[in-house]
Amino acid sequence: MFHEISDVLTNVALPKTQATITLRVIKSFEYRTERSLVLHMLNLEITTVGELKDMARQAIQTGSGWKPYRNVHLDTLKLYTKAHGAKTTNLIINMDHDDWIFDDDACTLAELGIENETEISFFNHAAYNAFKENPEIRWDIPQ
C-alpha cells in the first residue's frame, strides 16, 4: 500500500477551531518535573487564556495520574514552542523571551498567534522567578 505524504504543515493542517495544544504542566523547575496535557479540538478563536488555565486546572483535579500536581499553584502560561519552530535547550521551559508569557487572561489564543500543535508551559510564576535567579538543576545531584 502506498500512501502519499502531504506537504501541508501540521500547524495549518487543522483550522483554528479544531486545534490540538500541548500544555507542559510544570511541578518543579529544579527537578525537571513536568507532565504533558494534550487538549484536542480546541477553538483558538474563542478560547481565552483564562479559560485555557481553567480547563487545565479542571483536568488536573479530575484526571487520573495528576495527583502529584494537584497541590501546585499553577497561574502562568508561556509559549514553549510552535510546530516547526526552534526549541530551547532547556528541557522544561523556554527561559528566554519573558514577553512570551500570556499575562492577559481575556486575550484569545488566536490573538496571541497560537496555532495547531503549539506547546505551552503552565507553571507557578513565583517558582519560575526563583529558578531564573538560581537555575540549579537538582535531579542529577548524587545523594
Side-chain angles (χ1 to χ4, degrees):
M1 276 184 138
F2 176 74
H3 294 285
E4 195 169 317
I5 297 174
S6 174
D7 290 334
V8 178
L9 297 176
T10 57
N11 59 327
V12 294
L14 292 176
K16 290 186 183 230
T17 56
Q18 299 176 5
T20 297
I21 300 296
T22 301
L23 288 182
R24 300 168 58 83
V25 182
I26 300 169
K27 180 176 179 173
S28 170
F29 293 98
E30 293 85 2
Y31 292 98
R32 291 184 175 172
T33 311
E34 74 88 22
R35 183 162 181 208
S36 295
L37 173 65
V38 180
L39 301 171
H40 299 281
M41 300 301 291
L42 204 58
N43 187 336
L44 304 177
E45 295 175 346
I46 62 171
T47 304
T48 65
V49 170
E51 291 169 343
L52 182 60
K53 289 177 184 177
D54 290 341
M55 278 189 258
R57 288 182 191 120
Q58 180 66 24
I60 291 165
Q61 290 303 315
T62 59
S64 62
W66 287 97
K67 191 171 183 179
Y69 292 79
R70 292 181 184 155
N71 64 346
V72 180
H73 178 68
L74 300 166
D75 58 6
T76 306
L77 292 172
K78 182 179 181 183
L79 177 66
Y80 182 72
T81 188
K82 290 185 180 181
H84 313 290
K87 290 195 174 188
T88 178
T89 57
N90 189 308
L91 299 176
I92 197 82
I93 192 167
N94 187 335
M95 297 297 289
D96 302 325
H97 304 290
D98 276 348
D99 55 317
W100 290 0
I101 291 176
F102 306 152
D103 51 8
D104 183 358
D105 281 356
C107 199
T108 67
L109 300 177
E111 290 171 334
L112 293 169
I114 303 304
E115 304 169 329
N116 185 47
E117 299 293 334
T118 297
E119 292 185 35
I120 300 170
S121 298
F122 192 27
F123 55 92
N124 178 278
H125 200 112
Y128 171 74
N129 286 334
F131 185 70
K132 279 184 69 172
E133 291 294 319
N134 183 22
E136 179 182 336
I137 303 295
R138 296 186 181 172
W139 65 272
D140 60 352
I141 296 175
Q143 297 294 329

